[in-house]
Structures are given as structure tokens and as C-alpha cells.
């Protein structure tokens, strides 16, 4: 079974129980079923190092400006008998 990454075009040969009607000839001269996938380790942002850091502080400030800052709830007062 040959899997092809749609975004990078990289192909790799592996064993799988998946089926496909499309085939491709591999470098060993044999024909194998071809399955295209959207994301592999070759294109995933985590593995390529292209992931971005989210600005969570800016989001919190924007939320507080829009809805106001919530004050923490005070602890309930317990009466002693």
C-alpha cells in the first residue's frame, strides 16, 4: 500500500488493510494500491516545526474589554452555631 501526502506529494510504502482502486508503480517495479491523505508527518505543522504560538494573553484582554472583568466570587460565609 502506498500513501501519498496531498500537500507535499511525498509517498511512502507500508503495510495496511485499507483498500483502493487506484494503483501506482513503486521503485521496485511492483504495482501497489494508492491512497491519498491530507496530512502526514511530512506536512503536519507539529512535525515540520511550522506550528504557531497563539496569543492567549491578547485574547483574554480582548474578552475582558468586551464583556468586562469578572470579580472573583467571595467564599460563602458559614455561620457557627
Amino acid at each position: 500500500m502506498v500513501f501519498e501526502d496531498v500537500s507535499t506529494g511525498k509517498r511512502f510504502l507500508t503495510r495496511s488493510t485499507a483498500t483502493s482502486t487506484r494503483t501506482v508503480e513503486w521503485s521496485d517495479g511492483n504495482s501497489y494500491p494508492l491512497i491519498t491523505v491530507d496530512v502526514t508527518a511530512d506536512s503536519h505543522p507539529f512535525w515540520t516545526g511550522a506550528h504557531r504560538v497563539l496569543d492567549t494573553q491578547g485574547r483574554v484582554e480582548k474578552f475582558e474589554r468586551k464583556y468586562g472583568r469578572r470579580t472573583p466570587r467571595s467564599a460563602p460565609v458559614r455561620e457557627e452555631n
Side-chain angles (χ1 to χ4, degrees):
M1 176 79 46
V2 176
F3 287 88
E4 179 180 23
D5 188 326
V6 175
S7 58
T8 64
K10 184 172 182 177
R11 294 178 174 176
F12 57 94
L13 178 65
T14 186
R15 297 182 339 183
S16 176
T17 59
T19 60
S20 175
T21 57
R22 297 174 55 195
T23 60
V24 65
E25 187 173 326
W26 195 247
S27 58
D28 63 1
N30 293 326
S31 183
Y32 296 97
L34 174 68
I35 293 186
T36 56
V37 291
D38 294 328
V39 178
T40 64
D42 196 48
S43 63
H44 193 280
F46 179 79
W47 299 111
T48 61
H51 64 283
R52 58 185 183 177
V53 177
L54 298 176
D55 177 22
T56 56
Q57 185 63 32
R59 289 187 196 181
V60 171
E61 290 170 356
K62 182 179 177 183
F63 179 84
E64 288 175 352
R65 281 193 308 269
K66 187 172 183 178
Y67 297 105
R69 183 173 182 90
R70 293 186 67 185
T71 58
R73 298 170 73 185
S74 59
V77 178
R78 295 194 313 166
E79 294 181 20
E80 294 184 25
N81 294 335

